[in-house]
Amino acid sequence: MPERTVAAPEPSADEALAVDLLVLAARFTRWAGRAADGGMPTALWRALSQVDELGPLRVSALAALDRTSQPTATALVQRLERHGWVERSSDPDDARASLVATTPAGRQRLTEQRAAAGRALAPQLGALSGQQHEDLARGLAVLRDLVAHAPPGG
């Protein structure tokens, strides 16, 4: 007997917009990461950004946020520690656990990496028309507002 397939329901306009935003944001982020001449591997940049934004946090929380395994998150944290970009401290709620937080050197490195990406992408943004530039600025304001109202850790 042939297998019967059920067509997926048509996405709502908001769902379609969300998918388009997710796909384009991911592509833009990968493009920025490749364009940045800051020398930081993307995985370290992503992990350091998350710790800086949400830390101090446990390695298990970083793994969950990054949707990766605990051993992978542990390895990332160890690499960040070797560079002096994060440090661990005792978790006041559980003496067996530690919290990971960004160091001043880590924040500086993150600033440098983001600046390198900004310099790399600026020529493309400079090529936009005045109207496109205004549209992008308005879109960023909307995105900033969406992110500001996201659930914690989102």
Side-chain angles (χ1 to χ4, degrees), residues 34-115:
R34 287 188 305 267
D37 191 21
M40 181 185 282
T42 304
L44 288 183
W45 187 4
R46 185 179 62 245
L48 184 58
S49 294
Q50 292 212 64
V51 172
D52 189 56
E53 177 186 351
L54 304 169
L57 69 162
R58 291 182 179 185
V59 174
S60 59
L62 179 61
L65 290 166
D66 209 29
R67 298 179 191 253
T68 190
S69 69
Q70 176 119 6
T72 298
T74 297
L76 282 170
V77 168
Q78 288 170 342
R79 288 177 66 191
L80 292 169
E81 280 182 302
R82 281 194 298 272
H83 287 287
W85 298 335
V86 299
E87 61 189 0
R88 294 187 204 220
S89 62
S90 296
D91 185 340
D93 296 328
D94 184 350
R96 299 167 297 166
S98 62
L99 297 175
V100 179
T102 312
T103 64
R107 279 189 222 64
Q108 177 62 36
R109 185 64 183 92
L110 198 51
T111 298
E112 291 166 359
Q113 185 69 20
R114 289 172 174 163

Side-chain angles (χ1 to χ4, degrees), residues 26 28 36-37 42 64 91 99 111 118-119 128-129 147 149 151 153:
F28 184 83
D37 191 21
T42 304
D91 185 340
L99 297 175
T111 298
R119 284 189 301 275
L128 296 176
S129 71
V147 170
H149 292 93

